[in-house]
Amino acid sequence: MPHAIAADAGREPSSAPTAVAKNQSTVTHLRGLLEVTSLVRGEDDLDAVLEAIARTISECLGFGTVAVNLYRPAWDDFQVTNVYGNDGAREALLGDARDLSSWEPLLDERFLRRGAYMIPHESFDWAADVATFVPDIEPSDDPDAWHPEDALMIPMRHSAGHLLGILSVDEPQSRRRPSDEELDVLTAVAEHAALAVEGAQAVAEAARHRAALEQLLRVSSRLSETLVADEIFQSVCESVRDALGFEHVAIELVDPSSGRLVAQAAVGWTLGDETLSAPVTLADVAPLFDPEFEVEGCFLLPGEEARKRFAADVFVYRSRLNGRGPWAWNRHWLIVPLVNRAGETTGVILADEPEDRLLPRRERLQALRLFANQAATAVSLVEHVQELRFLADHDPLTRLLNRRVFMERLDSEAARSDRSGLSFVLVLCDLDRFKLLNDSQGHLAGDEALRALGRILPASLRRSDEAFRIGGDEFALVLPDATPEAVSSVVERIADAMDVAPEGTLAGVRASFGAAAYPGDAGHPEALVQAADAALYEAKRAGERLRFAA
């Protein structure tokens, strides 16, 4: 198990802290918590976030060595990605990877204390094959002193509940085992660190999705430059590779005379290789189009399930870039039907070898479906380009304007306000008990609730107002020249519409709102968002529907 243990040799364990020392310690701990909290909104580079987490815990919470073990979904294990402090610990631990079964003996209920896992040296026998670092120091006879072979682990959990990583801390400056208060601080910091990691991962996924849409726009621009179908198909294959990370992509169309699927374009494979030359018909692959395995119009099947359904007795390509665990790609089949306007399947897109070795998320499959639509509807240039431009500015689930447009609109409204002296109001909104809806009824029910709110918001606004989806269940409204009464009226209309939404779409879900005005509550758009966000959470805590910024 990755764990780094060290201490400052040559010192006696410190005595009980004085009141002044306690106050200084409390201030330092709070500073550490605030610094980690700032990462939740302030950094989108995962490597930088992990490095800052380790450094902050070390410097502010008084641990000489901090190791970050990050969960890798492609391998279903935890890898030591960052070690801050002791160089020997870094050399011994960095890069070590262990699966959950190696961690389970350490993350045992008997070691659980205040949300952390404190493993005293005498209670655990470290296996010989586990990466450890134990400094050459003499242990103390004081029962409360930190022993060289003590270990302290703090889990970092995703907001959905699963483990994102595990923090391992050693070398407390006090040379004493942590108190309950210190463990509480560590646990709180770990919670905020998890939010920072989750946020950075979400931003990376959103950046990939945005890149895919931008690539779609670039491909669309080529549609107006050429009417040569093979060039369009080759451009789609290359875009799927570049934007979505599949190293092997092919487009096959049904030959009307023979009914066989004939490869028209490919990357990774060549048009004449064994995979794309096999005599396969649309009827052979039709059993793969099972709604049980459909996501966003794409069909993703486990390898064994696909082979059982595949009718043709021909050579079948087997993936090389496989991982392990529930989120890993492991010889899966991903096939996307190309459907014309009459609803007829005219061909397929095959995608394989994901470079990250992960099963594609819904957003990637959604983008893949859009690439498939391009290949299938290349002749409908104008309509297709319009749809792509819409998706560049709008959230595909709710059809509301997206976060990028929201930030641009805030800047333009602030500039307009500065010129004219007219104010505008920002209202932030999120759904209460949305996680409960997802957990109890599934993500399809959650998606339907978001779609329902996406219809309600614009219908409840004034003509000059705009609505945006800026996060998972987070929405924003920009209301120019709005009085507090006008804001309250808009919120009331939204709440009333939610109450009478079709049965089941918003069952048990309500919304909370926070409002802030510009100028007045903030001097710049970023501060306006912070003020509205603070008001939103005040409304949640108080059980109110709407709270204006103080």
Side-chain angles (χ1 to χ4, degrees):
M1 176 49 20
H3 113 247
I5 306 173
D8 295 329
R11 288 190 190 170
E12 290 300 319
S14 60
S15 58
T18 65
V20 172
K22 262 192 170 181
N23 288 337
Q24 291 174 337
S25 175
T26 299
V27 171
T28 303
H29 290 172
L30 289 174
R31 182 164 62 87
L33 182 59
L34 290 171
E35 288 188 15
V36 172
T37 300
S38 70
L39 296 174
V40 176
R41 294 180 182 275
E43 182 61 71
D44 57 8
D45 183 333
L46 181 57
D47 290 337
V49 166
L50 296 173
E51 182 179 345
I53 287 169
R55 183 186 68 250
T56 300
I57 291 175
S58 175
E59 294 176 354
C60 296
L61 304 188
F63 289 92
T65 300
V66 179
V68 180
N69 303 269
L70 191 66
Y71 179 68
R72 299 190 302 172
W75 300 109
D76 198 26
D77 65 9
F78 295 83
Q79 183 180 49
V80 183
T81 58
N82 300 78
V83 179
Y84 185 85
N86 193 299
D87 289 338
R90 185 179 299 107
E91 182 177 351
L93 303 176
L94 196 61
D96 183 74
R98 302 284 164 173
D99 59 28
L100 184 59
S101 64
S102 298
W103 282 96
E104 285 172 343
L106 293 167
L107 304 181
D108 189 276
E109 288 291 327
R110 63 195 174 107
F111 300 131
L112 183 59
R113 181 178 155 203
R114 315 290 289 195
Y117 293 85
M118 178 67 211
I119 302 106
H121 69 283
E122 70 277 4
S123 62
F124 192 81
D125 182 18
W126 295 94
D129 63 342
V130 171
T132 60
F133 177 76
V134 181
D136 184 17
I137 62 172
E138 290 293 328
S140 169
D141 293 332
D142 184 342
D144 292 326
W146 182 269
H147 189 278
E149 293 185 4
D150 284 347
L152 180 55
M153 316 287 181
I154 311 96
M156 295 189 297
R157 294 194 178 276
H158 191 278
S159 58
H162 60 265
L163 273 175
L164 280 174
I166 302 168
L167 298 173
S168 175
V169 298
D170 287 291
E171 299 186 62
Q173 291 177 0
S174 66
R175 294 192 63 194
R176 304 184 70 81
R177 290 175 177 173
S179 64
D180 286 352
E181 177 186 344
E182 289 169 327
L183 288 177
D184 288 341
V185 172
L186 263 174
T187 303
V189 168
E191 290 174 355
H192 285 265
L195 288 174
V197 171
E198 183 180 343
Q201 291 175 336
V203 167
E205 184 64 28
R208 179 190 284 274
H209 186 56
R210 184 171 61 253
L213 295 180
E214 291 170 352
Q215 187 79 0
L216 277 165
L217 286 175
R218 285 193 287 272
V219 173
S220 294
S221 68
R222 293 196 59 188
L223 299 183
S224 61
E225 299 169 1
T226 179
L227 294 178
V228 179
D230 287 351
E231 289 185 12
I232 295 172
F233 294 146
Q234 187 63 33
S235 181
V236 168
C237 288
E238 292 170 359
S239 296
V240 171
R241 177 196 61 197
D242 297 340
L244 302 183
F246 291 99
E247 293 189 359
H248 285 53
V249 186
I251 293 178
E252 298 183 335
L253 298 183
V254 177
D255 182 345
S257 60
S258 66
R260 285 181 52 180
L261 288 169
V262 179
Q264 305 293 314
V267 294
W269 292 302
T270 59
L271 292 181
D273 72 14
E274 190 174 8
T275 301
L276 302 184
S277 300
V280 177
T281 68
L282 187 61
D284 292 327
V285 301
L288 303 177
F289 301 146
D290 187 328
E292 179 182 355
F293 302 102
E294 187 268 338
V295 183
E296 295 291 343
C298 306
F299 294 86
L300 179 63
L301 293 83
E304 291 184 6
E305 183 67 36
R307 286 302 301 268
K308 287 191 301 185
R309 294 165 175 266
F310 188 56
D313 185 17
V314 296
F315 170 80
V316 174
Y317 184 81
R318 291 172 63 84
S319 308
R320 296 174 295 103
L321 295 180
N322 301 298
R324 59 176 178 266
W327 290 286
W329 181 277
N330 189 7
R331 298 181 176 87
H332 285 72
W333 289 28
L334 177 55
I335 184 168
V336 189
L338 305 180
V339 182
N340 64 18
R341 289 187 175 183
E344 302 164 334
T345 300
T346 59
V348 296
I349 290 182
L350 307 174
D352 208 327
E353 307 289 13
E355 61 186 13
D356 58 7
R357 300 175 186 257
L358 291 174
L359 293 174
R361 293 175 179 264
R362 178 179 291 271
E363 292 81 6
R364 288 174 70 185
L365 294 176
Q366 184 181 70
L368 180 57
R369 177 69 258 176
L370 290 174
F371 280 114
N373 290 347
Q374 281 191 321
T377 61
V379 294
S380 305
L381 301 179
V382 174
E383 292 179 2
H384 201 49
V385 170
Q386 289 176 340
E387 174 68 1
L388 292 172
R389 288 175 176 168
F390 181 87
L391 287 175
D393 293 337
H394 293 75
D395 168 56
L397 181 66
T398 63
R399 314 301 282 180
L400 297 176
L401 291 166
N402 61 24
R403 186 179 186 88
R404 179 183 64 81
V405 179
F406 166 67
M407 297 307 298
E408 292 176 353
R409 198 59 44 85
L410 273 189
D411 288 337
S412 64
E413 282 296 320
R416 182 189 70 86
S417 177
D418 293 341
R419 291 192 305 270
S420 66
L422 298 174
S423 66
F424 71 95
V425 174
L426 169 64
V427 179
L428 295 184
C429 157
D430 75 4
L431 295 178
D432 302 328
R433 299 189 292 273
F434 182 72
K435 182 178 182 300
L436 179 61
L437 174 65
N438 271 333
D439 291 345
S440 62
Q441 299 186 36
H443 289 284
L444 291 179
D447 285 353
E448 185 53 38
L450 294 174
R451 290 191 192 95
L453 188 57
R455 294 188 291 268
I456 288 170
L457 290 180
S460 304
L461 299 180
R462 305 172 306 166
R463 184 170 298 177
S464 59
D465 303 336
E466 289 184 297
F468 309 80
R469 184 187 180 196
I470 60 174
D473 63 337
E474 298 174 344
F475 297 81
L477 311 174
V478 174
L479 313 180
D481 308 323
T483 63
E485 292 75 18
V487 174
S488 297
S489 295
V490 168
V491 169
E492 285 298 323
R493 287 195 294 272
I494 295 170
D496 290 344
M498 291 179 68
D499 289 340
V500 298
E503 185 175 353
T505 56
L506 289 167
V509 175
R510 68 186 296 273
S512 296
F513 300 82
Y518 181 97
D521 293 326
H524 55 85
E526 291 81 2
L528 183 68
V529 173
Q530 294 171 4
D533 192 57
L536 168 63
Y537 282 95
E538 285 297 322
K540 280 182 173 290
R541 281 191 287 268
E544 299 173 354
R545 177 169 290 156
L546 169 66
R547 172 70 67 94
F548 288 90

